[in-house]
Amino acid sequence: MITFENVTKTYHNGKQIVHALNGIDLTIERGEIFGVVGFSGAGKSSLLRCVNLLERPTTGRVLVEGQDITQFSKAELRQHRRRVGMVFQHFNLLNSKTVFANVAEPLVIAKVPNAEIRKRVMELLEFVGLADKANHYPDQLSGGQKQRVGIARALATRPSILLCDEATSALDPQTTSAILSLLKTINREYRITILLVTHEMSVIREICDKVAVMERGKVIESGSVFDVFSNPQSDITKNFVNSVMHTKIPESVQRLLSEPEGGNRRVYQLVFVGASATQPVLFQAAKKFNLDINILFGNITELQGVPFGHLLVEFRGPEREINRALTYVREAQVDIQEAVGYGH
Amino acid sequence: MGIEWTDFVTALEQTLTMVGFSLCFSAIIGLPLGMALVVTRKGHILENALVFNVLSTIVNIIRSVPFIILVIAIIPFTRLIVGTSIGTSAAIVPMVLSAAPYISRLVENAVLEVDTGVIEAAQAMGATEWQIIVRFLLPEALPALVLGLTIATIGLVGESAMAGTVGGGGIGDLAITYGYEQYDYHVMFVTVVILILLVQFIQTLGNLISRRIRRR
Ligand SMILES: Nc1ncnc2c1ncn2[C@@H]1O[C@H](COP(=O)(O)OP(=O)(O)O)[C@@H](O)[C@H]1O
Ligand SMILES: [Mg+2]
């Protein structure tokens, strides 16, 4: 659906040169919610804006539905932009126009007949839950309501792609949830591909199917949200995952672990999916191999609707039995990683 | 030398004529000029360094010439345009010439105040440059534009007084001939009161219209 081929973007700020994108290769499939996460300045917005050419790549190609959009004429680009909706962090509504007129604007620009505009706008306002606010002005709305107007406006021309640049970053947590679930509805009901960028990993966890982590203009890690969350590779990704998953072992537990103890003892990090399955497996293993099992720390969250968790587990007993228990647990599809630094 | 109330009425009429016409013409010139100063600047939707620099320089040059000198310097030009170099209509020419660049700067300021996010939104929905100007920049800048035009109008009231130099007449001229040159303080007092009321009226009207547009 959207393919970045070795895309670079360089800004010239007077004498200063900023390499915002350093060779991006990325594919976003039709119908998915693809999230890009990274710190401020990583190049997320630059990447997003290459999809509707608000920023033109310095080199490389951006293919949308197989077409190289960098080769489009001005008129073709305008047509293309009607197929790509955009939602902004600060909404970017026209304060001089009513909610209705704001949502109608893309249609007016596309010279859609008035009667049709009326119908479409009311339908959209109904969909985002603001039908009663049609004649209000943006400054009479809350942040969440403004973003709903922004989303309705972005959907006016029935785009196949929706770009969201920090769409919830100016909103409080509750409003954020509501807007995210609205985006999810849009994705599921209208089959609109959503590309969103954010600095908040919680947004990725909440609605994305796939994620790419950006740092200094590069994608350093990407994959399904599930894979990246359960098995982050780079330090930055681990930090992002930790920020929402709390997989980091608390210091009090770490201190406990570093104390010398008698007997053979091993500590493992278990990553599991579907909370119900794990604990019985652990206790069965304990019984079967006659081990002491101690859950030191644990955390469970939901990823794409599936419970997903980490357990820090201490096994005490003969080495051979521990190994047999681990094999047994692995067979139950639990991923086991040795908790580094806490062996024996 | 006596002065009748009708003289004041005539003078007020002349002032309003000069201010009204020159406001119209200078807005017609200043509005597109100011918009051009915005959209041709670096990084804007119709970036064009040559056009921007030429326009900006011309505006600066005219703006730096004192009005009274402008009035005299362009007498041949005035004669070319309105066929005479004295009278109310002759005063309008230098007033327009001086107010148009001023208005263009006020327009430029008002339009630059528009959030760049609005332009991005317009581009993202596939608007043409013309649509961005007419459907986004203008309506968003309108309340500020009205306030700018109010300032310009009041400035024109002041200039209309000096336009007496070329026989433009008007309230200000009355104040200068009777008050300043003949020490008739009564006339001067009345004209000053009329001018104060006029300026007050223009400012109030401008504020009112601007507020109306801002929050319909
Ligand atoms: N229009 C621009 N002109 C110059 N530098 C820019 C521009 N836009 C972004 N940058 C720079 O490019 C880098 C990446 O910015 P951006 O894509 O906005 O990152 P992010 O959205 O991840 O915060 C930053 O260093 C930023 O300062
Ligand atoms: Mg950004």
Side-chain angles (χ1 to χ4, degrees), chain B residues 102-120:
Chain B
Y102 181 47
I103 288 180
S104 76
R105 288 296 183 203
L106 292 168
V107 170
E108 183 187 19
N109 273 338
V111 177
L112 281 178
E113 282 297 300
V114 176
D115 186 359
T116 51
V118 166
I119 302 168
E120 275 180 12

Side-chain angles (χ1 to χ4, degrees), chain B residues 32-111:
Chain B
L33 189 56
M35 192 56 90
L37 283 170
V38 173
V39 296
T40 59
R41 69 178 43 216
K42 197 165 158 45
H44 221 286
I45 54 174
L46 290 170
E47 177 175 343
N48 187 323
L50 180 71
V51 173
F52 176 80
N53 287 324
V54 167
L55 292 182
S56 185
T57 308
I58 291 174
V59 165
N60 285 345
I61 290 173
I62 302 178
R63 295 250 293 129
S64 57
V65 179
F67 179 65
I68 197 73
I69 295 184
L70 194 71
V71 171
I72 294 157
I74 64 154
I75 282 177
F77 176 70
T78 306
R79 198 173 284 137
L80 192 76
I81 300 270
V82 291
T84 170
S85 61
I86 51 162
T88 310
S89 52
I92 291 174
V93 178
M95 283 170 77
V96 170
L97 194 62
S98 121
Y102 181 47
I103 288 180
S104 76
R105 288 296 183 203
L106 292 168
V107 170
E108 183 187 19
N109 273 338
V111 177

